[in-house]
Every structure is written in structure tokens, then in C-alpha cells.
Amino acid sequence: NPTSNPSTNPTSNPSSSPTMMTSISPTTESADEDNIDNANLEEDSIKPEENNTKPEEDNEITLGDEELSPEPTKPRLENEYFTVPVLAWKTKLTNTNENLEVEGKASTATASDDGRSQLDSLPSVLGRGNGITLSSDNQYLYITRTNGGLEVLNAINGEHVWTYIPNKNSNGWNVSCTSKVYFGENKNIGQFLVYAITDQAPGDSDIDSQSRIVAISIPDHNHIWTSPPVSGVVVGTPIVTRGFFSGEYIFIVHNTGLHHSSKATPEGHFSILVVAKGGTRLFTESAGFATSKDKLPYGPMSVSHFPVRGKYDLGRNNTHDIVVWTTSANDGMSGSGYLRAFQIPAGFYGDFDDLFTVRLRSVSWNAIARPTLSNDGLNLFVGVRQSELRGWVRNRPFTEGAVWQQQLDENKVEPQTAIPSAGVLSNDEKRLFVPSSGNSFYAIDTETGKILWKHEASLSVTLTEAATSPNDDQRLYYVDSSTGTVYALDQESGNIYWDFNSAFRSVEAEWCLSDNGLVLYYGDTHGKIQALALGTLDDYNIVIPSPSPTRPRPTNTDRPTNTDGDFSIAESSSISIMHECTRTPAIIMSVLLGWSAAVMTFCL
């Protein structure tokens, strides 16, 4: 029934429809700010428009009703998606698990075990930087926790499979984690995952924090090694190399001088660890190695594993993994900073003397989210301070100024706040989906920087990255961080398919989709984990209740109803009584008859 599909009927609830943008064009920066230079663009490069200028009429996005939902260029597999999501399973991260391993010692734990006592004493919560990551075979969920633990769940039914808790590095120190897992495969040890943990000195100490990398074999879930400590706190998630150096090295960025009692200036470092040598360091380079002016903390990295080339002077014929990151001074709100990158040199044979990072360019901003790199490594997008977005596309080297910049909604409390999470690209990489530092969500044309649509239903800043349906360019999902509400939007128009709230606490940890885009896994700060079935799941063997065939297709204000236990979503529903009644005339008649009877009785 295509006429009832929100993507083809965007006017079903105009009050909740996204704001369509007609002439919000990207701007160019002045030479004092970021030195954007168009002189070296080749003929087919995009020329950014002047500030506050309107695009040519031919390129303008019109607002007629027929234009809100462009005709699809390929068949939409609507039958694969449910009109509303269905709760496949729910669970909660617990402090008890029969299959426990503490620093390499596997055992069946009991209440008296030291490992169990250690596990019970720590909170099971998910915080900023943690994440829920699905294995490549869609069988396991790997969940990092704020206490440094790793919990493994069965992705099919949510049952607990295995828990790992690292030992403390020293008495009195606390272990924490702000990292997701990253998968790799090494010719000697097979498939494995890594994640970062932080050892924090006691509060009254002036000793700086340290970090370690943990390696776990998969799918048998055995502890392989924990690396020697590196100074400072690892930022973001460690990255395992692929391609020619598959599974051989781990890239990390880590910041020193962040401990509250430390008198040192915060400084970023880039390090390479060797997988076959238990995570020992091969190379480290500090931000201020060349000049003290560069002594700034780093933000998290983004990677292209199979780049066409490195877009800098020495990367012309290099197809090895490339990572890019920014400085992150003053939580991304400072002005002066720079872009930096690393790529294993072509012809590298293990000599660390051949290694170096590349300072791409000085900039007038900092950031807190990782940049977004295209799959081929040729396009770069960075969300920075004051809710600004910048794009390097086509033939523009990363060593030059951005081709375009776009201003998004600023944070009303602190306008200098940087964009909180990285943008994600559509499958064809023609659109970038990114939150602002306020409470809006945007679709951006990657080549021109123009705003395609803007969604304002979110009640808070979006701290986690969005996700796109992997097998088509149809759906976009993101989570409101304060309420845990999941939104499903049409990628082309920004119209809402549905939104789902299950009485979650805030959601700060990264979440994930299955590889067919039909299951969404997410969790709140209190450790509640849910799997939402978004469509038919024959390949997953998940038994789920069938959606009611009589239930109307959702509009922008429709929400699914769930009466199962403490995950009730009806409490937060914004559907008014009158709205429900207009959909059910029988209810109106029943209410009116009841009122009439009451009035007559009173009069008598």
C-alpha cells in the first residue's frame, strides 16, 4: 500500500516533518581562518559559493509537495521492513556470570571466587566511548563497559556468553574504559579483537593515567595478551591494520596530562603496537616533538583501510591503511589546531626509523569527534567547534583548505561546543548524516556542502553515531541520547518512518545494526540491552511476535506499543487521546454515550 508509506506521504503529519532547506549553501572561510584555497582545484572540482549567496535556480531544491519524496532510483524493498519495530529480546548486563575469566584464567566462577567478587564490586554501565559491536557472523555482541570489562552476548537471543574483567595494574588504581572493540585477523593467532582500558591513579595522586590494550581471540573467547602500559588515556578505539599488513599492527592515539592533579600540559601521542609481540610498542611520536606550539591533545582517529592513495605529498602511490585525526584542545572548543595523518610508507619492512606522522595543515578550530573518511580515502569531513562542518572532496588534497564549510545549529548553552559525534555516509557516499552541537540532525550533500534536510525532533545532543541501512539507501537510524528514543528516517526526505522509546535511560554508548540492516542493538547507561527487529528475520532464526496486520502504518507521531514488563514505551508516547480517537470512531461513540448517561443520571 504505497499511499500509506510515510516516505511517499510526507504530509501525513506536517508538524513533525523535517525542515527542507532551499538555499542554505556552504560558505568559504577567510584566509585568516582556514586558508581555503581554490587555486589548485582541477577543472572538475567543486567551487564553493560565497557567503550568504543563494545557489543558481537550476540547482535549487524546490518545496512542492511532490518534491519532498523524490522518486526512488531503484526498487524499495519495503516488504523487508516492518512498519514499526518489534522487540526481539531484552536483557541487562549483570555482575554475575558463570563463564568468567580474569586476566587469562578461565574458570567456572562461584560467589566466593576472587574474580566474581571483583566483578560484583564494579558497576555494569555503558558510557561515552563504550560500544556494542556485532561479530561478522552475526552471532555475538561484544560490549565494552565503563569498568573496563568486556561482556559477550548471544546476538540471537540475548543470553550471556562470556565476561572478561582485566586485573588492576596497581593497588589503589581504578580501571576504566572509553573504547569499543575492533576486530582483526593475524596469520599466526587467527581472528581477534582489541579494546583499550585506562588505569587511573588514586585521586590524591599527581601520577598521570596509563592505558593498556587487551587482545581476545574470537570466537573461542580466550585472553591472548594485555599490552604493556602506554602513557596517558587512549582516545577512541584502537585500529587494527588490514590489507597488506592485515592484523600485524594496532594504531592508537593517547593523551597525557589529563589527570586532574597533573601539572603537565595535555599532549597527544600516536603509537603503533605489534600484535605478534604482545602489544609492545614499535613507534611513538608526540604532538610537540617538533615545536612546543604543537603540544596539544588529540581527538579520535578515522581510518580508510583500502585507500586509492594518500591525499598528501608523499602518499601519491601508497595504498596502505591511512588514519586521520584532529587536535582536541579545550574539549574541542579552542581555536588554533591542526590536522594530522599517518600511513605506513610504501615499501615498509618493519624499520621504525622509516615511520612518521604527517601534519596535514594548521587550522582555526579543534574537534572532539573522529573525522569521517570515505571508503577510498579521498574525501574527508570534519565536524568542529561552533557546530561547523568542513569537507574535502574531489581533488582537494588534505594539506589544503576545505572545499566547503557549513554552519549547523549551535549549542544554545555553549555556542563554542564542537559537533559531538562523527557523520556517517550513505552507501553511495553522496550524503553525509551528522548531528549539530544543538539538538538537530542533518543530511548534507557531500560534494557541495548544502543542507538537504534538517530534523529537529531530538530533545538533546546526539552523542552516538547514526547508522544507515547497509543494503539500500533507504533508511537512517539515530538515537536521542537523553531519552533513548530510536528514530528511523527516510534518507532522501528526512521524513520519519517511526520512533521507538522503551523507557530507557540515556544512551551514550555506540550501538550497531546487523549486516542486513534488519536488527538494531543498543543499550542505556544502566546496562539495559535491547534488540529491535526492523524487518523479516528468516536468516537470524529469531522468534518474534508478528506485528498486528490491522495496525495502521506509522506517521511522524506514531509509536509502537509494548506492554512487556519494565520496558513500557507507552509512558513516553506523545500520541494524544484525541489522535487515537480519530483513528477509532467506535471509541468516540463509546465515550460520548458514557458521558450522556452520566449527565442524565445526575439530572434525575
Side-chain angles (χ1 to χ4, degrees):
N1 183 13
T3 59
S4 62
N5 186 342
S7 67
T8 57
N9 185 22
T11 59
S12 57
N13 191 344
S15 63
S16 298
S17 297
T19 304
M20 300 295 295
M21 314 309 293
T22 60
S23 61
I24 297 184
S25 303
T27 58
T28 60
E29 297 171 284
S30 67
D32 291 337
E33 290 181 349
D34 198 18
N35 300 320
I36 288 187
D37 178 15
N38 297 323
N40 294 324
L41 279 179
E42 297 184 12
E43 289 183 0
D44 61 342
S45 299
I46 295 294
K47 293 184 178 181
E49 302 177 40
E50 296 298 327
N51 285 328
N52 303 318
T53 58
K54 193 173 183 179
E56 297 293 332
E57 260 185 37
D58 292 343
N59 296 328
E60 205 170 304
I61 302 173
T62 59
L63 291 182
D65 289 345
E66 71 281 2
E67 296 294 327
L68 287 176
S69 297
E71 289 295 323
T73 57
K74 58 184 178 181
R76 291 188 181 278
L77 305 178
E78 182 61 23
N79 289 336
E80 290 190 3
Y81 294 110
F82 296 149
T83 57
V84 292
V86 178
L87 184 62
W89 55 258
K90 61 184 179 181
T91 189
K92 186 173 182 179
L93 301 184
T94 63
N95 287 337
T96 58
N97 196 294
E98 291 184 358
N99 191 2
L100 178 70
E101 179 173 340
V102 177
E103 205 67 347
K105 298 179 180 179
S107 66
T108 300
T110 65
S112 60
D113 286 340
D114 291 340
R116 173 65 61 81
S117 300
Q118 182 181 356
L119 185 59
D120 286 343
S121 66
L122 297 173
S124 294
V125 294
L126 303 176
R128 189 80 188 274
N130 294 143
I132 302 172
T133 309
L134 184 65
S135 61
S136 60
D137 61 3
N138 295 285
Q139 297 299 306
Y140 300 105
L141 292 174
Y142 295 94
I143 305 172
T144 56
R145 308 190 312 194
T146 56
N147 62 14
L150 174 68
E151 192 143 355
V152 184
L153 302 182
N154 185 316
I156 305 300
N157 54 30
E159 293 181 355
H160 291 259
V161 175
W162 188 74
T163 298
Y164 175 80
I165 292 294
N167 279 341
K168 293 184 177 181
N169 196 33
S170 181
N171 291 333
W173 288 50
N174 291 321
V175 180
S176 63
C177 174
T178 55
S179 161
K180 293 171 35 179
V181 304
Y182 206 93
F183 298 119
E185 184 169 5
N186 181 278
K187 59 184 178 182
N188 295 321
I189 65 176
Q191 295 181 338
F192 66 99
L193 65 82
V194 296
Y195 72 103
I197 58 175
T198 299
D199 300 306
Q200 298 173 312
D204 57 352
S205 171
D206 60 357
I207 302 176
D208 205 354
S209 299
Q210 297 178 333
S211 294
R212 294 174 286 165
I213 306 301
V214 177
I216 304 291
S217 64
I218 53 175
D220 52 346
H221 303 137
N222 290 313
H223 174 259
I224 303 174
W225 48 254
T226 298
S227 74
V230 297
S231 57
V233 178
V234 168
V235 184
T237 298
I239 292 175
V240 182
T241 54
R242 296 180 185 173
F244 185 81
F245 296 103
S246 179
E248 293 188 30
Y249 302 109
I250 299 169
F251 300 153
I252 60 173
V253 290
H254 46 115
N255 291 327
T256 53
L258 300 181
H259 192 278
H260 67 90
S261 297
S262 175
K263 297 180 181 179
T265 301
E267 181 179 15
H269 312 267
F270 173 82
S271 292
I272 302 175
L273 312 184
V274 182
V275 173
K277 296 183 178 181
T280 56
R281 271 187 291 173
L282 171 69
F283 169 79
T284 294
E285 184 180 278
S286 299
F289 79 98
T291 171
S292 59
K293 293 181 180 180
D294 287 348
K295 199 172 184 179
L296 297 172
Y298 287 157
M301 297 178 291
S302 185
V303 63
S304 171
H305 283 297
F306 302 99
V308 172
R309 64 180 184 275
K311 287 189 74 174
Y312 58 96
D313 292 342
L314 299 177
R316 187 177 301 276
N317 298 314
N318 193 342
T319 59
H320 297 323
D321 305 68
I322 183 171
V323 289
V324 179
W325 65 95
T326 72
T327 51
S328 185
N330 192 26
D331 292 328
M333 293 189 287
S334 289
S336 179
Y338 52 86
L339 267 173
R340 195 172 283 278
F342 174 81
Q343 191 173 25
I344 295 179
F348 175 72
Y349 293 104
D351 187 352
F352 69 88
D353 289 334
D354 296 333
L355 302 176
F356 55 90
T357 68
V358 178
R359 181 186 171 119
L360 297 173
R361 65 176 288 100
S362 297
V363 294
S364 60
W365 41 261
N366 280 255
I368 55 174
R370 68 179 183 88
T372 301
L373 270 173
S374 59
N375 288 328
D376 60 11
L378 299 182
N379 297 326
L380 174 68
F381 310 94
V382 186
V384 304
R385 68 191 291 262
Q386 293 181 316
S387 201
E388 292 182 352
L389 184 67
R390 284 164 168 75
W392 286 257
V393 294
R394 291 204 175 180
N395 300 305
R396 178 62 62 86
F398 299 160
T399 52
E400 298 179 10
V403 172
W404 54 258
Q405 73 175 72
Q406 182 61 262
Q407 179 66 58
L408 309 183
D409 286 350
E410 294 179 348
N411 187 292
K412 294 180 180 179
V413 177
E414 178 48 76
Q416 298 297 319
T417 302
I419 290 176
S421 57
V424 296
L425 291 164
S426 58
N427 294 325
D428 60 9
E429 299 192 343
K430 293 181 179 180
R431 303 182 193 93
L432 179 73
F433 304 104
V434 61
S436 69
S437 60
N439 61 350
S440 302
F441 206 92
Y442 292 83
I444 305 294
D445 184 300
T446 54
E447 290 201 357
T448 66
K450 292 180 180 178
I451 296 175
L452 302 177
W453 52 256
K454 172 183 172 183
H455 178 65
E456 295 182 312
S458 179
L459 300 177
S460 67
V461 175
T462 302
L463 298 177
T464 59
E465 296 180 16
T468 58
S469 48
N471 295 326
D472 55 51
D473 282 318
Q474 182 174 355
R475 296 198 171 196
L476 169 75
Y477 304 96
Y478 81 94
V479 179
D480 182 284
S481 296
S482 66
T483 65
T485 300
V486 181
Y487 290 93
L489 307 181
D490 181 81
Q491 289 190 26
E492 293 182 359
S493 67
N495 289 310
I496 302 177
Y497 284 102
W498 47 258
D499 53 67
F500 183 93
N501 186 290
S502 57
F504 259 22
R505 303 285 183 175
S506 59
V507 173
E508 297 181 1
E510 300 293 338
W511 47 275
C512 64
L513 284 174
S514 60
D515 60 2
N516 65 0
L518 297 179
V519 187
L520 188 152
Y521 304 95
Y522 70 122
D524 70 3
T525 54
H526 284 209
K528 291 180 182 178
I529 310 296
Q530 282 192 168
L532 295 184
L534 310 179
T536 54
L537 298 173
D538 295 340
D539 295 339
Y540 285 77
N541 299 316
I542 297 179
V543 179
I544 58 175
S546 299
S548 171
T550 60
R551 182 175 178 82
R553 297 176 68 87
T555 64
N556 287 347
T557 54
D558 284 341
R559 285 180 171 83
T561 300
N562 180 1
T563 58
D564 187 10
D566 62 345
F567 281 76
S568 170
I569 62 173
E571 297 175 358
S572 61
S573 176
S574 63
I575 302 175
S576 66
I577 295 176
M578 185 55 69
H579 178 68
E580 290 291 342
C581 290
T582 57
R583 297 190 301 173
T584 314
I587 295 177
I588 298 177
M589 185 60 69
S590 176
V591 172
L592 292 176
L593 288 175
W595 285 347
S596 298
V599 171
M600 292 175 65
T601 301
F602 177 80
C603 292
L604 291 174

